[in-house]
Amino acid sequence: MTSDECQQVIDELQAVIDDTHQTLEGFEATGMASEMPEDYEKLLAILGRAVRDQKAHTLRMLEQ
């Protein structure tokens, strides 16, 4: 994977991270985190995976 490809993936993962943060904030602001705990946990898992994957791609890009 080239540096440009890594950067593209990093940028796309950042969009997922940003969108998921906004959704989580909406859940928290409306009380849905307690009403729909399984969905809230799924959102946290999505956020965690996106952050982990973004870190991996960043490290890969830095190693090149």
Side-chain angles (χ1 to χ4, degrees):
M1 188 174 261
T2 68
S3 291
D4 288 340
E5 291 169 329
C6 283
Q7 187 62 54
Q8 181 179 356
V9 172
I10 291 166
D11 293 343
E12 290 175 12
L13 286 166
Q14 187 61 51
V16 171
I17 291 166
D18 293 342
D19 290 346
T20 306
H21 268 203
Q22 288 179 346
T23 304
L24 285 166
E25 288 172 4
F27 258 64
E28 293 163 359
T30 60
M32 294 306 292
S34 60
E35 294 290 321
M36 301 174 69
E38 292 108 15
D39 291 334
Y40 188 75
E41 290 297 321
K42 288 177 185 177
L43 287 168
L44 290 174
I46 290 167
L47 179 62
R49 280 192 306 271
V51 169
R52 182 193 68 220
D53 291 350
Q54 186 184 51
K55 178 182 176 183
H57 284 284
T58 300
L59 291 172
R60 182 182 297 170
M61 185 174 72
L62 293 173
E63 291 172 353
Q64 293 179 357

